[in-house]
Amino acid sequence: GDITDNKLVTGFKITPDGATIVYTGTPMYDQSGEKLKDTSSRHRNDREVFRVKLDGSNLKQLTNDPSWEAQSPWVAPPE
């Protein structure tokens, strides 16, 4: 269905340690930190950057700016 829990993923990278995925996808939260309502057009028209462990834990939306659309994530190698 057309709900905010369904994310359209548009690009991803795996971190060098192989434990985390960083990806661009449709947002879950508005700028106040509240979960987007299913009626919001933002989850259809915007892309943000996310991070999640390969086991599905620790999902976090890293960016939250409706004025620009994230296109593809990049992962920096560890120092």
Side-chain angles (χ1 to χ4, degrees), residues 24-38:
T24 53
T26 51
M28 296 186 314
Y29 301 103
D30 65 19
Q31 287 186 292
S32 67
E34 298 294 320
K35 190 166 180 163
L36 286 174
K37 293 180 177 25
D38 291 339

Side-chain angles (χ1 to χ4, degrees), residues 12-17 20-23 50 72-78:
F12 72 93
K13 296 285 183 187
I14 298 176
T15 58
D17 65 4
T20 303
I21 297 173
V22 178
Y23 67 93
F50 292 82
S72 60
W74 289 94
V75 178

Side-chain angles (χ1 to χ4, degrees), residues 4-77:
T4 57
D5 285 340
N6 294 336
K7 287 180 218 45
L8 172 64
V9 175
T10 54
F12 72 93
K13 296 285 183 187
I14 298 176
T15 58
D17 65 4
T20 303
I21 297 173
V22 178
Y23 67 93
T24 53
T26 51
M28 296 186 314
Y29 301 103
D30 65 19
Q31 287 186 292
S32 67
E34 298 294 320
K35 190 166 180 163
L36 286 174
K37 293 180 177 25
D38 291 339
T39 56
S40 171
S41 64
R42 186 171 170 210
H43 80 277
R44 291 183 219 71
N45 302 321
D46 190 17
R47 304 293 178 270
E48 299 295 341
V49 179
F50 292 82
R51 174 205 69 217
V52 66
K53 296 282 187 185
L54 286 180
D55 66 5
S57 66
N58 204 22
L59 173 63
K60 182 170 184 174
Q61 182 176 320
L62 301 176
T63 61
N64 195 0
D65 190 340
S67 65
W68 57 272
E69 182 178 316
Q71 293 295 317
S72 60
W74 289 94
V75 178

